[in-house]
Amino acid sequence: MNDLMKGLPPIFQSVFLGQQNRPRGIAYYDSFIQDLHGKRPKEVFDRKNNGDKVIGAFCAFFPEEFVHAAGAVPLILCGGAEFPIADAEKILPRNTCPLIKSSFGFKISNLCPYFQSATSW
């Protein structure tokens, strides 16, 4: 995993989990975020290495049940951040949709482990 993905868990720990009087009701969110950058990428890589198909999507509201029915692994992809756009603009025209540039930048700069699992190019 790249440096960004290695750095996220300690940042999340110090900024959020280290807060005093953090509500217990937010424990589900805390667990979800920790899995998002730790257990989930490993699970997806393992499943792909075992021959499972991985289908990526940008919208969290896409019909995951169809992906499961096809025997594949659903995966929400990264997009919408500004920092990978500069890498994308080295290849794509500047007037390309910002979501496309952000997503493409995540892929070509290896910032998002999910793109490495869901794509084969």
Side-chain angles (χ1 to χ4, degrees):
M1 238 184 279
N2 62 43
D3 291 338
L4 175 67
M5 296 308 293
K6 289 178 187 173
L8 288 176
I11 291 170
F12 183 73
Q13 175 70 39
S14 66
V15 173
F16 293 102
L17 299 181
Q19 294 173 346
Q20 290 184 334
N21 301 318
R22 188 159 175 84
R24 286 187 301 156
I26 200 156
Y28 170 79
Y29 169 78
D30 294 340
S31 173
F32 175 79
I33 295 299
Q34 287 176 312
D35 288 349
L36 186 68
H37 296 295
K39 294 178 187 175
R40 181 67 172 151
K42 181 179 180 339
E43 172 198 347
V44 172
F45 284 128
D46 290 347
R47 298 269 314 261
K48 184 174 182 180
N49 289 337
N50 287 331
D52 290 336
K53 299 293 182 196
V54 177
I55 298 175
F58 289 105
C59 181
F61 301 106
F62 87 108
E64 289 187 26
E65 56 272 15
F66 292 123
V67 176
H68 288 291
V73 179
L75 184 62
I76 302 300
L77 300 173
C78 306
E82 290 187 26
F83 59 88
I85 289 177
D87 286 336
E89 286 181 342
K90 294 175 185 173
I91 299 170
L92 300 175
R94 286 186 54 84
N95 64 347
T96 301
C97 166
L99 175 62
I100 300 303
K101 290 191 292 187
S102 174
S103 304
F104 187 72
F106 272 119
K107 170 60 182 171
I108 63 172
S109 61
N110 292 320
L111 289 173
C112 177
Y114 298 125
F115 272 99
Q116 311 319 314
S117 291
T119 59
S120 59
W121 45 275

